[in-house]
Amino acid sequence: DTAVSQTPKYLVTQMGNDKSIKCEQNLGHDTMYWYKQDSKKFLKIMFSYNNKELIINETVPNRFSPKSPDKAHLNLHINSLELGDSAVYFCASSQVVGSGRLSYEQYFGPGTRLTVT
Amino acid sequence: AQTVTQSQPEMSVQEAETVTLSCTYDTSESDYYLFWYKQPPSRQMILVIRQEAYKQQNATENRFSVNFQKAAKSFSLKISDSQLGDAAMYFCAYTTGANSKLTFGKGITLSVRP
């Protein structure tokens, strides 16, 4: 019944490693997002995909590469991890195309706490 | 650029009392959407309430209601009959809609005293 799921929920790794976070939504939404929540709890958009097409890339280092194999999945791959990448990463989804007036609320996954040592 | 400001970092309320969390935003758009999200210690982001800017009526969801003042660009959240489970971080967020990101405020930590 989980609407937006992420794996793993916790990820501990060493500097320089490459890691991936997976996200899946079963809400039938057409748009998915990655947000980063830093140590001060500030949330900021990283990427957005609409029907597998990248539509937002918010000045994120190119070590971060999102991939959307279909509109229900959005994965985040991070190369050469750095200490500053330690954060909670949230996946979210919303419906932005449809008949009638939409409200554009975004539904979030449980988050992935990434710790780089 | 759109900005969202939550100037109070922390608030405290007695159980069963009412508390209001403040939020202001800056935008040049006329059509947009505002939200309050709750983040308990579990870190799950939970949608509390939404407000469409084109609607004049303030949104309500059970014990949660908003005071939306479009001209003043203010969007406060009122929690009535506060419960221990309301203790969490609350984020105000803004979007212009289709394909658009959520812009968040810095959040406010609400504690509920028994």
Side-chain angles (χ1 to χ4, degrees):
Chain A
D1 278 316
T2 305
V4 183
S5 59
Q6 292 178 230
T7 53
K9 289 186 179 170
Y10 297 93
L11 187 52
V12 180
T13 188
Q14 291 185 327
M15 284 176 58
N17 284 348
D18 303 339
K19 290 294 179 184
S20 292
I21 306 172
K22 295 185 176 182
C23 178
E24 176 181 2
Q25 55 97 3
N26 63 7
L27 296 167
H29 287 164
D30 55 16
T31 303
M32 296 183 73
Y33 310 80
W34 280 110
Y35 289 86
K36 179 180 180 180
Q37 186 173 41
D38 63 23
S39 58
K40 296 184 178 179
K41 304 287 190 180
F42 186 63
L43 279 149
K44 189 172 180 189
I45 185 74
M46 298 175 68
F47 300 104
S48 173
Y49 271 75
N50 175 265
N51 278 324
K52 302 189 296 179
E53 181 182 346
L54 179 67
I55 51 173
I56 296 176
N57 183 343
E58 196 85 355
T59 59
V60 177
N62 57 16
R63 296 183 297 104
F64 291 78
S65 53
K67 282 189 172 55
S68 182
D70 55 61
K71 73 173 190 176
H73 296 84
L74 179 61
N75 304 323
L76 183 65
H77 187 76
I78 316 170
N79 289 326
S80 303
L81 277 154
E82 301 177 354
L83 292 177
D85 297 332
S86 295
V88 178
Y89 292 85
F90 284 98
C91 177
S93 73
S94 67
Q95 184 65 31
V96 299
V97 176
S99 59
R101 190 92 188 189
L102 300 174
S103 55
Y104 301 109
E105 65 259 29
Q106 294 184 16
Y107 293 89
F108 284 76
T112 297
R113 180 176 293 282
L114 171 64
T115 303
V116 182
T117 61
Chain B
Q2 295 88 6
T3 58
V4 178
T5 302
Q6 294 178 255
S7 55
Q8 308 153 304
E10 296 177 345
M11 286 197 76
S12 180
V13 63
Q14 191 76 34
E15 196 175 5
E17 297 293 306
T18 296
V19 64
T20 298
L21 311 182
S22 300
C23 173
T24 59
Y25 58 94
D26 189 24
T27 183
S28 57
E29 304 288 337
S30 59
D31 195 13
Y32 50 87
Y33 305 80
L34 297 162
F35 307 93
W36 280 96
Y37 281 87
K38 171 185 179 181
Q39 187 178 39
S42 67
R43 81 165 178 254
Q44 177 71 52
M45 294 290 289
I46 302 164
L47 178 65
V48 175
I49 200 165
R50 73 180 69 82
Q51 175 77 46
E52 293 89 341
Y54 69 89
K55 289 186 178 178
Q56 294 186 340
Q57 187 172 7
N58 288 327
T60 61
E61 289 285 343
N62 301 314
R63 297 183 296 107
F64 298 88
S65 61
V66 299
N67 183 1
F68 173 50
Q69 300 289 328
K70 191 171 184 180
K73 296 180 182 173
S74 170
F75 181 60
S76 59
L77 175 69
K78 185 171 84 171
I79 306 174
S80 304
D81 185 25
S82 296
Q83 300 175 1
L84 295 178
D86 294 333
M89 197 152 186
Y90 287 81
F91 292 92
C92 178
Y94 161 103
T95 184
T96 55
N99 294 341
S100 181
K101 61 186 179 183
L102 280 175
T103 298
F104 286 92
K106 290 185 177 180
I108 178 170
T109 300
L110 177 67
S111 58
V112 181
R113 304 186 302 275

